[in-house]
Amino acid sequence: MGILLVSASFAALALFPVSRLLTRVVWDAEDGTIFPALRTIVDQADLAGVVLDTLFIVLLSGALAVVVGSALAWFNERTDARIGALTDSLPLVPFLLPPVAGAIGWVLLLSPNVGFLNVIIRVAAGWVGIDISTGPFNIHTYYGMVFVYAIYMIPYVFLLVSAGIRNTDYSLEEQSRLCGAGPVRTFFRVTMPTLAPSLGAAALLVFWFGISLISIPIIIAPRAGIDVLAIRIVRLINFSFPPDTNAAVGVGLIVIVLVGTAWWVVRVVLRRGRYVGAAGKGTRRVRHQLGHWSTPVRVAFALYILAAAVLPIGALAIVSLHGFWTPNIDWGGLSLRFVSDVVFDDPVTFRALINSLRLGLLGATLGTMVAALIAVYVRRVPGRFSAFIDGAVKLPATISSVVLAVAIVVSFAGSPFNLHGTLVILILGYLLIYFPQASVAADASVAQVSTELLEASTMSGASDGRTFRRVTLPIVVPGLVAAWALLFVRIVGDLNVSSILSGSGNTVIGWQMLNVAQHGGFAALSAIALVTTAATATALFVVMGVARRLTGSADDIAPMRLGIRGGR
Amino acid sequence: MPIRRSLVLVTVVLVTLVACGSDDATTPDDAGSPEGEEPTGEVATPADEATADALDELIAAAQEEGTVVFLHAPPALEEVVAQQFGEKYGITVEATRVLSTELEQRYSAEAEAGVVSADVVLTTDTGFVESSVENGWMLDLNAAGIPGYPGDFPEEFRRGPTAIPLATYFGIGYNTDLVSEEEAPTEWEDLLDPRWQGQIITPDLNSAIVWMQLWDVLERELGSDFVQGVGEQDLIVIDVSVAALEALGAGEASLLIATPNLIASGADRGAPVAYRQPDLGVEVPFPLGLSADAPHPNAARLFVHWLLSDEGIQAVSEAASLPNIFDESTLPANPVVAERDVSQERQQELLSLLGLS
């Protein structure tokens, strides 16, 4: 009953501003036209091209991310290629960097004329007598966009799939091998189905993430002549006053349809798929010995980390030490002055960082708890109402964060709520927009709890509450930690929500970063981005270390073995 | 058991954290006029000439209120307004720089919700202020009781219900490492020089109406052959102004179509960039808005009075590195005010002339 109350209230909160927006689809009160938003879709002749471009980039990068991210997760969890905390956490680094900073990092590296990497390559080519005038690489292309999108999607996949792998019972794979199935057959018949919930959730998340991304395409796409849906929506809002909200909502409808389709597909997989549930805590952790393959795999890890994290962060660091972007770096003139001026000596920035970290802690914890409750509720009580709740809380993610933030102000800032300028309205904004990510991660981990396990617990005499605490919760903890991490990082690094809801009374770091960039340029932005990344990484490291300790200690308990029957 | 206990502990810690942060939750309103009460003292009545009495009354009433909240799109105004206005009258100025699109979105969202927090705004879209006045969100400056306004405020910088205390003009920024002073373009037509092929940065015209307005004027004044010629120069599109400026400074290209204050912000950081103002200057206005339901109505009026005076204009133009509207020598030889509305067909025409559609 309590779960139902919480779930329903949160869904109501999510629906309130959204419904105000969606009514515009049907009725424009000002000029009395019906279906004004739908009309605008027809009016924009090039929209089909924009949809195709968006889908091409998101699907291709998403597929790449799922393959690479899952491989990294598997190698890290199931083989001896793991190098302790290094391979546990380094693939997550791109995810820690605010996307706008990451995008700028790649522009610094691969701008066709003065990108650092391009300059280095041209100079090296010059040594061997090859004369290249521009490039050779250009970030402002389709392949450049797919590359940067994929880099930022991989950590999502890594996080979710790692959690999933940690929960799977290796004995199933062992038994498959003992029955004579080869490694490939085992992989496709046992491992993959076990991981289906995590893979499905990861695929959905990266699709969502990709479709709603604004900061990466705004930096990279215009010069490539590419337009994506999220940018089109922002243009319609920002082009002139009054904003063309009808058209923005109209394009938003397309996003809702695309995301809704993806969500429905994954839901079908999770509910009807014949996958194996987790057999409980205390499964043996086995690591394959790779022998002499472990070195190449480690090298691959290192290369990935170099490409995804070290290079862009290095570029940002150089620019923040230098004061402005240039390929002719005055190595002697590098100084920490800009960093300290902008971050530590400026009380507003410092307070903004603390605010953001606090909001991140609170928002992530609240969001994860609610996500867990809703996931459990939906799982236990299947049916139309729970599907409605599930959908309602995920719906805001499909709406452009810019549009939604405005709707939140209109709905909650004035009477009777009077939340204007407070931290509460910020948390509300963050939760409504980022909650769906946590929700997807929580769904996946709850899906791994097999009914047999729950039945066994109940038949042994445990109450519902005890079953939840002793059986369900420990299994879902890795996935929930992933959900927590997702929320935390997104909230601290947020720009779009903050730009509307934050202000002088409730400054946060994303907003402050934009402000400061206006007179401080890339150097100031990089300085703030890097310090923010370091702060979030530290916080995450601590939390995930604690979580690993919590789930790791379960190895001491004698394992409960169940059959290989497929379960719901 | 341990998990439940730790959950409770976590919740307690978090609530404490948020409670400790509640000092941040005070809105600017807390420092201003008490809710629901009329400010003491009459609002100064409109007068043809500034009477010392009206001004004195306004000053007294404003000082009672003690604070004015000011949102502004032009950069670098926070200090100068705090020092020159704030210290002069003993009134706290809460000045925040906000990008014009966010400023307008926030302001209108707040106005719709009935919780306007800004007393005075300085934004970039005259149309925004005009429709705000029509909506009753802002006051017509001519009838708002500003002592001494309009007085001898220049006619060309009064636009209906609003005034333009600050304006900037589009011109051409260039990279001083790649382009010498002699080579740097001085007029718009110089952009057609073949040496600038693939060397000119511009934002996407679809990102903000001001860019459509600029090219609308340039096409009218200089002809469509000129615009088409520029289009054949293989323009580099970089949307975010900070990114465009940094690209210019790094030498990714040689020229950037921009406003002087953007270039100045780069030069201040040591980037090798400089600016040329062509004689034909297309105006980017910063119109003034005064909230109808201002939290601090008298302080707001006093601030506007100061901002529109010789002293105020001098101070803010210097601080923002912008032309002084009272001093013709800082303005371009041929300043042009753009037409506000650019029809869809016209937009498509300009985009295809420039090779950007």
Side-chain angles (χ1 to χ4, degrees):
Chain A
M1 202 17 76
I3 295 182
L4 176 58
L5 205 59
V6 169
S7 316
S9 331
F10 193 70
L13 263 177
L15 282 181
F16 182 44
V18 172
S19 58
R20 295 178 76 128
L21 282 177
L22 291 183
T23 47
R24 295 185 87 117
V25 176
V26 179
W27 172 257
D28 182 340
E30 276 173 24
D31 51 350
T33 49
I34 307 210
F35 296 119
L38 289 181
R39 284 239 174 80
T40 65
I41 297 181
V42 176
D43 285 341
Q44 294 172 69
D46 58 343
L47 208 47
V50 177
V51 173
L52 286 176
D53 274 350
T54 309
L55 282 178
F56 175 74
I57 290 170
V58 175
L59 288 175
L60 191 53
S61 52
L64 204 58
V66 168
V67 168
V68 175
S70 312
L72 287 174
W74 192 79
F75 278 113
N76 188 46
E77 292 287 332
R78 277 273 196 263
T79 71
D80 61 352
R82 175 171 181 256
I83 316 174
L86 224 59
T87 46
D88 279 348
S89 50
L90 285 180
L92 296 177
V93 172
F95 165 69
L96 297 174
L97 200 57
V100 69
I104 290 175
W106 281 104
V107 165
L108 296 175
L109 290 169
L110 290 181
S111 270
N113 295 330
V114 293
F116 293 140
L117 285 183
N118 280 327
V119 168
I120 292 174
I121 292 174
R122 288 204 296 269
V123 165
W127 288 338
V128 293
I130 309 175
D131 197 23
I132 315 177
S133 63
T134 181
F137 294 112
N138 183 353
I139 195 73
H140 302 284
T141 50
Y142 279 98
Y143 71 80
M145 298 246 319
V146 168
F147 175 67
V148 179
Y149 270 62
I151 295 269
Y152 284 93
M153 290 168 167
I154 286 172
Y156 281 93
V157 179
F158 182 80
L159 202 57
L160 284 184
V161 174
S162 295
I165 292 178
R166 233 173 282 142
N167 262 343
T168 55
D169 184 359
Y170 181 67
S171 62
L172 297 171
E173 287 163 54
E174 204 176 33
Q175 289 173 20
S176 166
R177 298 297 298 276
L178 285 175
C179 291
V184 175
R185 197 148 181 230
T186 304
F187 181 75
F188 282 106
R189 284 304 202 73
V190 179
T191 321
M192 284 289 287
T194 323
L195 289 179
S198 308
L199 285 173
L204 182 61
L205 259 189
V206 300
F207 184 77
W208 254 348
F209 174 68
I211 273 217
S212 49
L213 258 186
I214 295 178
S215 11
I216 294 180
I218 196 122
I219 302 281
I220 300 181
R223 193 168 166 184
I226 302 173
D227 207 357
V228 294
L229 287 170
I231 298 291
R232 176 57 64 98
I233 294 176
V234 169
R235 294 239 194 282
L236 289 167
I237 303 283
N238 288 348
F239 180 65
S240 82
F241 188 82
D244 194 352
T245 319
N246 282 339
V249 172
V251 178
L253 270 183
I254 299 179
V255 174
I256 290 179
V257 165
L258 290 175
V259 169
T261 312
W263 174 60
W264 178 79
V265 166
V266 172
R267 225 179 112 79
V268 163
V269 166
L270 288 189
R271 285 191 62 76
R272 297 201 307 119
R274 295 172 53 77
Y275 54 84
V276 178
K281 291 194 302 185
T283 58
R284 273 185 313 128
R285 305 286 159 83
V286 171
R287 294 188 175 276
H288 295 293
Q289 305 297 321
L290 290 176
H292 40 241
W293 278 104
S294 86
T295 315
V297 168
R298 284 183 177 161
V299 167
F301 251 100
L303 281 178
Y304 165 75
I305 290 166
L306 187 76
V310 174
L311 286 177
I313 290 183
L316 289 171
I318 291 179
V319 169
S320 66
L321 294 175
H322 196 272
F324 59 91
W325 178 23
T326 175
N328 312 315
I329 300 174
D330 169 18
W331 297 101
L334 293 186
S335 116
L336 279 172
R337 174 168 52 102
F338 294 100
V339 180
S340 57
D341 273 354
V342 157
V343 184
F344 299 113
D345 291 347
D346 181 357
V348 178
T349 304
F350 194 68
R351 197 179 69 211
L353 184 59
I354 303 294
N355 268 348
S356 289
L357 289 172
R358 265 207 305 233
L359 283 170
L361 276 175
L362 180 61
T365 313
L366 262 182
T368 309
M369 292 199 298
V370 176
L373 286 177
I374 292 183
V376 166
Y377 173 72
V378 168
R379 185 105 197 287
R380 274 227 300 239
V381 188
R384 289 238 181 86
F385 185 65
S386 74
F388 171 74
I389 300 241
D390 198 23
V393 299
K394 292 186 167 71
L395 188 58
T398 60
I399 296 176
S400 162
S401 47
V402 173
V403 173
L404 190 62
V406 171
I408 290 174
V409 172
V410 173
S411 309
F412 294 118
S415 57
F417 300 98
N418 287 317
L419 290 177
H420 182 69
T422 60
L423 291 178
V424 176
I425 202 174
L426 263 182
I427 291 248
L428 197 56
Y430 293 147
L431 279 182
L432 288 186
I433 289 172
Y434 297 119
F435 176 83
Q437 302 183 14
S439 174
V440 167
D443 283 351
S445 60
V446 165
Q448 282 192 311
V449 178
S450 74
T451 355
E452 280 93 356
L453 210 54
L454 297 176
E455 279 169 11
S457 170
T458 319
M459 285 201 304
S460 307
S463 69
D464 267 354
R466 196 151 183 228
T467 305
F468 180 77
R469 282 196 314 274
R470 277 336 222 21
V471 177
T472 313
L473 212 51
I475 295 178
V476 303
V477 160
L480 289 187
V481 169
W484 192 94
L486 283 172
L487 271 181
F488 181 70
V489 171
R490 285 291 149 245
I491 290 176
V492 175
D494 169 78
L495 280 184
N496 301 313
V497 176
S498 311
S499 66
I500 307 289
L501 296 179
S502 165
S504 50
N506 53 359
T507 348
V508 291
I509 198 73
W511 159 253
Q512 183 63 0
M513 191 164 72
L514 280 184
N515 256 348
V516 167
Q518 292 307 312
H519 26 262
F522 277 179
L525 189 149
S526 310
I528 294 185
L530 291 176
V531 170
T532 308
T533 305
T536 32
T538 313
L540 262 190
F541 191 67
V542 167
V543 169
M544 293 183 85
V546 166
R548 246 191 197 271
R549 200 75 63 71
L550 279 178
T551 46
S553 64
D555 277 337
D556 302 334
I557 303 174
M560 254 165 80
R561 298 206 173 249
L562 298 173
I564 317 179
R565 265 181 56 218
R568 303 194 100 237
Chain B
M1 285 313 160
I3 291 180
R4 183 203 260 178
R5 217 181 277 152
S6 46
L7 274 178
V8 169
L9 186 61
V10 161
T11 318
V12 167
V13 168
L14 286 170
V15 169
T16 324
L17 272 177
V18 170
C20 286
S22 57
D23 53 274
D24 256 335
T26 55
T27 62
D29 255 338
D30 291 358
S33 62
E35 286 171 349
E37 270 180 40
E38 291 295 327
T40 53
E42 304 291 330
V43 170
T45 54
D48 288 332
E49 291 178 307
T51 61
D53 285 341
L55 188 56
D56 284 338
E57 273 179 34
L58 184 61
I59 293 175
Q63 283 169 336
E64 280 270 351
E65 287 167 0
T67 310
V68 65
V69 179
F70 176 45
L71 295 184
H72 54 98
L77 296 185
E78 296 92 331
E79 260 187 60
V80 70
V81 296
Q83 280 167 9
Q84 303 232 11
F85 173 83
E87 282 172 15
K88 175 173 179 174
Y89 292 106
I91 297 179
T92 314
V93 185
E94 293 188 13
T96 317
R97 200 237 167 149
V98 189
L99 288 182
S100 58
T101 42
E102 266 104 49
L103 195 161
E104 288 163 16
Q105 278 165 8
R106 282 207 304 172
Y107 191 91
S108 46
E110 285 177 13
E112 262 187 75
V115 286
V116 171
S117 59
D119 293 306
V120 179
V121 306
L122 204 59
T123 181
T124 56
D125 188 354
T126 321
F128 173 72
V129 181
E130 280 165 14
S131 44
S132 300
V133 171
E134 268 168 56
N135 287 338
W137 298 341
M138 291 183 184
L139 297 174
D140 182 334
L141 286 181
N142 297 304
I146 315 288
Y149 182 81
D152 47 8
F153 194 83
E155 183 64 43
E156 60 271 28
F157 290 104
R158 293 175 53 202
R159 307 281 158 83
T162 182
I164 316 286
L166 273 180
T168 185
Y169 299 85
F170 283 110
I172 305 172
Y174 63 97
N175 180 309
T176 52
D177 285 345
L178 297 176
V179 180
S180 71
E181 234 185 291
E182 299 81 47
E183 293 168 321
T186 45
E187 291 303 327
W188 293 106
E189 291 87 337
D190 296 339
L191 290 176
L192 298 177
D193 189 324
R195 83 168 85 191
W196 305 130
Q197 174 88 17
Q199 291 291 322
I200 307 173
I201 303 174
T202 173
D204 186 343
L205 267 62
N206 284 313
S207 60
I209 198 169
V210 281
W211 296 100
M212 288 290 182
Q213 290 167 348
L214 165 67
W215 286 99
D216 181 44
V217 170
L218 290 180
E219 198 271 343
R220 277 190 229 281
E221 302 279 325
L222 303 175
S224 57
D225 282 345
F226 161 72
V227 179
Q228 190 157 9
V230 174
E232 282 156 16
Q233 293 286 57
D234 221 358
L235 297 173
I236 296 178
V237 178
I238 299 183
D239 257 357
V240 178
S241 57
V242 166
L245 177 64
E246 291 278 348
L248 180 71
E252 180 69 12
S254 305
L255 303 180
L256 167 65
I257 300 174
T259 50
N261 46 302
L262 179 68
I263 303 297
S265 68
D268 286 344
R269 294 197 282 279
V273 292
Y275 179 78
R276 279 286 162 80
Q277 177 63 60
D279 281 344
L280 174 61
V282 182
E283 184 194 84
V284 179
F286 292 107
L288 184 70
L290 169 58
S291 297
D293 291 319
H296 316 95
N298 291 295
R301 282 172 179 76
L302 184 63
F303 185 67
V304 169
H305 161 82
W306 175 82
L307 201 53
L308 298 178
S309 68
D310 267 342
E311 186 197 328
I313 299 243
Q314 167 90 16
V316 299
S317 350
E318 234 180 81
S321 316
L322 291 176
N324 180 335
I325 61 170
F326 287 158
D327 180 357
E328 268 190 22
S329 69
T330 64
L331 304 177
N334 180 11
V336 173
V337 178
E339 286 293 322
R340 210 242 151 189
D341 288 314
V342 184
S343 71
Q344 286 286 356
E345 294 79 40
R346 179 68 167 156
Q347 290 180 27
Q348 286 309 315
E349 188 194 333
L350 293 171
L351 283 171
S352 63
L353 281 174
L354 286 169
L356 294 177
S357 54

